[in-house]
Amino acid sequence: MKQPIRIAVLISGNGSNLQTIIDHQKQHSHEYEIALVVSNKADAYGLIRAEKAHIPTEIIEHSKFEHRKAFDYALQMAIDSKQIDLVVLAGFMRILTPAFTQHFLGKMINIHPSLLPKYTGLNTHQRALEAGDTEHGLSIHFVTPELDGGPVILQATVPITENDTKESLKEKVHQKEHLAYPLVIQWFAQNKLQLKNNQVWFQQTVLSKPQQLHHLNDQDI
Ligand code: GRF
């Protein structure tokens, strides 16, 4: 049997996505293992989730470093010391240096709460509401030096209804995030996903547009 790939999950806060990855791994997958959880904040609740699941954790506080480069280098060292195959950003609220993104190019993914290229950066739910959009959602993408700009692997949409607030919208998006992120990690672990020439390849074919969660067949899930 193939050895499971080793993933590191980087967080800054609550870690509900981390939790679904932990649960999915336990219940459904021997194809990956969570070898490390890193937080840039000592009080991130996600650290408790990781400890409960007996996953090694590290706290690397950005505030203790003089500049971004030094912080990213410490982060890189921590990840590299654990022989990690895939870095999973799950609510990690730091902008990464080009040197860091280059080091993990093709081996680092992020989840962003909008239908990219719409609404890179922060406050995505509020911005979707203010724009009068009728749908919103999430994107999972390979990380490149461009902030929230790497090639998108998968998207999931949610409808925006009259009564939605930014909180209700956030909740709806979170529910879809929890289905989508473990799935994409599983694809990577199964060797189905690659980044080549700034394009996503899925099962040896270039993706002309992102996969859509609701279009997937049973065998993909
Ligand atoms: C998610 O909405 C994700 O899209 C964004 O940060 C949030 C993290 O939530 N990048 P959680 O910490 O996983 O609950």
Side-chain angles (χ1 to χ4, degrees):
M1 201 169 69
K2 190 177 160 278
Q3 284 280 96
I5 68 156
R6 294 166 60 80
I7 73 168
V9 183
L10 274 50
I11 58 164
S12 300
N14 179 29
S16 68
N17 279 284
L18 167 66
Q19 188 67 58
T20 55
I21 297 165
I22 293 172
D23 296 343
H24 175 269
Q25 193 282 324
K26 260 200 208 137
Q27 288 157 23
H28 303 290
S29 182
H30 44 78
E31 284 155 317
Y32 65 93
E33 69 177 278
I34 310 169
L36 178 65
V37 168
V38 184
S39 173
N40 65 314
K41 295 210 170 154
D43 62 354
Y45 182 64
L47 286 169
I48 296 173
R49 299 181 190 271
E51 278 154 20
K52 276 192 188 152
H54 309 290
I55 297 166
T57 59
E58 276 204 42
I59 300 166
I60 306 178
E61 287 176 287
H62 62 276
S63 51
K64 302 226 162 110
F65 292 82
E66 248 174 56
H67 38 73
R68 213 176 269 285
K69 257 189 177 170
F71 169 71
D72 279 13
Y73 191 64
L75 198 57
Q76 183 180 316
M77 290 288 112
I79 297 168
D80 284 350
S81 73
K82 297 271 187 185
Q83 291 87 41
I84 296 298
D85 301 297
L86 177 68
V87 178
V88 175
L89 305 181
F92 186 65
M93 303 303 283
R94 297 294 301 161
I95 293 177
L96 298 162
T97 56
F100 186 90
T101 55
Q102 194 57 43
H103 183 77
F104 293 109
L105 194 65
K107 294 178 173 180
M108 179 156 61
I109 56 176
N110 181 40
I111 189 161
H112 182 76
S114 80
L115 297 170
L116 290 170
K118 273 188 163 185
Y119 314 129
T120 59
L122 300 173
N123 303 322
T124 59
H125 311 299
Q126 182 72 34
R127 286 155 71 198
L129 281 175
E130 280 167 6
D133 292 355
T134 53
E135 63 172 18
H136 185 46
L138 67 99
S139 306
I140 298 170
H141 63 95
F142 278 110
V143 177
T144 63
E146 200 190 329
L147 178 69
D148 300 326
V152 178
I153 301 162
L154 176 137
Q155 291 185 318
T157 54
V158 300
I160 300 183
T161 57
E162 258 176 45
N163 301 327
D164 268 321
T165 60
K166 68 175 187 206
E167 288 75 24
S168 67
L169 208 47
K170 183 176 168 188
E171 180 51 38
K172 281 192 208 172
V173 171
H174 254 122
Q175 284 182 15
K176 289 274 165 97
E177 288 187 345
H178 297 163
L179 295 175
Y181 221 4
L183 177 64
V184 170
I185 294 168
Q186 177 91 338
W187 284 345
F188 190 93
Q190 292 168 338
N191 234 345
K192 288 180 176 172
L193 268 185
Q194 269 117 19
L195 176 72
K196 286 190 233 166
N197 300 325
N198 213 38
Q199 287 179 307
V200 178
W201 287 68
F202 182 74
Q203 293 188 315
Q204 320 306 333
T205 310
V206 70
L207 277 191
S208 54
K209 51 183 174 21
Q211 297 273 23
Q212 298 294 322
L213 191 62
H214 65 275
H215 283 164
L216 296 173
N217 301 317
D218 286 350
Q219 78 258 24
D220 295 317
I221 297 181

